[in-house]
Amino acid sequence: MRAFALGNETTSYFMRYLFCVLTLLLVVPSALQSQDFHTIETTNSKAKKKFDDAKKHIQQRQTALAQGSLEQAIQQDSFFVEAWLLMGETYVDLENYHYAELMFQRAVDIAPDFDPLIYYRLGTMEWYLEAYSDAKEHLEIFLNKNTEEGLSSKKAASMLARVDFILDALKNPVPFDPHPLDTTVNSQYDEYFPVLTADGKTLIFTRRIPVRIEEGTHMVISDENFYSSTLDEDGNWQQAVELAGVNTRQNEGAQSISPDGSWLVFTACNRRGDGSQGSCDLYWSQKKETGWTEPRPFSATINSRDWDSHPCISADGKSIYFSSGRKGGQGNADLWVTYRQSDGKWTEPANLGPTINTSGTEDSPFFHPDGKTLYFSSNGHVGMGNQDLFMTRLQDDGSWSKPINLGYPINTKYGEQTMCVALDGKTAYYSVEKEPGKGNIDIVRFTLPEAVRAQPATYLKVRVRDARTGYPIKAAVKLRNLTRDELFAYKFTANDGTLLVCIPAGHDYGMHVSKEGYLFHSEHFSLTGQSSFEKPFLLTIDLEPIDEEVAGSDTPPPAGQPIVLQNVFFETASATLLDASKFELDALRDLLNEHPRLRIRINGHTDSVGSDSDNQTLSENRAASVRQYLIDQGIAADRLESAGFGETAPVADNGTEEGRARNRRTEFEIIPSKQ
């Protein structure tokens, strides 16, 4: 007999338990010698009378009276199998699975061939009690004995698959070392739904605080609000404060924050008169200089008349993943995605499909900034218990890989949700109960096992200024994935001249910063090697204003640094332009078209590898190739000059590969008008 705790069970339940145990001890020896049992048709009249009384009490929801009648029925006939089964069901209704298991086990002992369903009920109780080996045995017996295809068979097969998974998971636990966050974040109340900004310095979460007990009931009414905590220079989370401007006296929860912390998307329920559509809808708010704007619901394009919740903003801001119970899904609640179009409108949500969604519930999506890895919670996929956390990856063909369970003890029988993963792809935050099964939820940090980590990503934070005044500029920033030859991001800096963009590892990127009336600036980022979250790209960019009068005269322009074309590439030891250069050179073409009086000179430079004469010739030829490209694009030849400087004007040490790469460059500079 397995050990158990009485907990808060009443004395009457304890006495009934003793009654059942004593009855078992008295009858088991004879049961081992004979498999005779009695049913409602063969039991004696007194036992049948008490059994009928019990059914009436059950219909009237008088469980205690029903159990009393069943005790008397069993006293009259201890081999009355249906009395044992009904007694077991009364304990199931009370969620007292230990007592229920005893009753079903007794029914199996005295009547192993009475009804295969007994084994299913017994296996289910053993599942709840974590007696997984016993549950496996009895579920297999049920499936072997049961010849009818039905709901019970499907449930039993599903439970058996979970049991097999659990037994294997318990034998092969994944590394797991959770660290609860400080009391500046975790409190005596429940904290959950943790989300981070890209720099990992701002944590926003939901806290639930009980406010009152509903009059005439024992129901506790709670208020869910958002709180924010910042990380100090020593790596400590500061005291969490309420998110002013977003929180109301109604509940807010299940939120997502944009990488730069300027856009919040969250769930609010049962609101009226503000354009909401259903029971729970997705809302948004933006952070301005004066604080957070008044939250507004998304339109009916995204929100439905059904339950919509658990949003996740993609790192590029182009998509929102969320959970919804709307029609057209696979089950109770599915994961959906909507995409922001070029005009700012959102598409009709698309279902993520049967690889991810099941006949059960999928929620809590988190799409990592690597642009591939999706984490979510599900009770439809095989797992440890109520809901488990899973990982899937977006494939090159647009499909999703088969979801992988994060493993035990990250997942337990109690249900796990609301996880986010930092840019490093391995540091995760999620919510757990301090004491499993007893409530009081805290946020913990842990390291993901290698098999379910996301690809590392980093972030680019730029500050754009006027080179002469130092004032911030609202400039356009284009980031192109040169590896895939596709536009990755096209955004504008904020009023303070800043912009933050997450960039996944594994690609080369070209950046172009422009503002009307200024010379543009370009950068190149190579993330094909190991990307490090600890080393983001932090740039201050000073754009040089274009003086139209000077640019169109024979007066030399003010002294300044030539503009390096960071994304102009050639074949090795050749003047042949690579296709990846088109992004940069087309931007230079556009600049010249916008300023028809502008004349420039293309300058070519090399490193010190090779002979002086070869390097001189190569630099001249490369500059000439760029000039010719612009001419082919329609720029008048008399507006363009080219020159080569070989290895004579290094900007870095030629003794290192990094230095040599910087010295191999192509530039342009403004020159006087040609008279």
Side-chain angles (χ1 to χ4, degrees), residues 24 54 71 98 139 176 233 372 406 469 537 607 612 642:
L24 287 169
E71 289 170 5
H98 190 90
L139 290 171
F176 183 56
E233 294 181 355
K372 293 182 177 180
L406 297 196
T469 66
F537 297 98
D607 58 27
D612 294 352
S642 66

Side-chain angles (χ1 to χ4, degrees), residues 152-274:
S152 295
S153 294
K154 292 180 180 179
K155 288 183 175 180
S158 175
M159 186 175 294
L160 181 59
R162 290 176 181 269
V163 166
D164 287 335
F165 173 84
I166 291 171
L167 289 172
D168 181 71
L170 294 176
K171 292 178 182 177
N172 301 283
V174 299
F176 183 56
D177 185 21
H179 299 276
L181 299 192
D182 295 337
T183 54
T184 53
V185 173
N186 290 321
S187 69
Q188 60 182 312
Y189 306 115
D190 292 342
E191 285 83 24
Y192 41 90
F193 291 123
V195 292
L196 290 168
T197 52
D199 59 11
K201 294 182 179 179
T202 301
L203 173 74
I204 295 179
F205 60 93
T206 302
R207 176 177 288 166
R208 180 169 55 203
I209 299 177
V211 292
R212 71 179 190 276
I213 297 178
E214 188 72 12
E215 186 176 353
T217 72
H218 296 290
M219 183 181 297
V220 177
I221 305 300
S222 299
D223 187 18
E224 292 179 298
N225 283 316
F226 299 130
Y227 284 75
S228 174
S229 177
T230 57
L231 200 66
D232 65 19
E233 294 181 355
D234 297 324
N236 299 314
W237 290 106
Q238 299 302 290
Q239 186 64 49
V241 295
E242 282 198 59
L243 213 59
V246 180
N247 291 331
T248 68
R249 292 185 177 180
Q250 296 174 289
N251 290 336
E252 294 84 21
Q255 75 288 351
S256 179
I257 191 76
S258 62
D260 62 359
S262 67
W263 190 37
L264 187 74
V265 178
F266 64 95
T267 309
C269 302
N270 302 318
R271 299 195 176 180
R272 299 290 183 268
D274 62 356

Side-chain angles (χ1 to χ4, degrees), residues 166 286 353 390 528 538 540:
I166 291 171
Q286 285 187 305
F390 293 83
T528 52
L538 307 176
T540 297

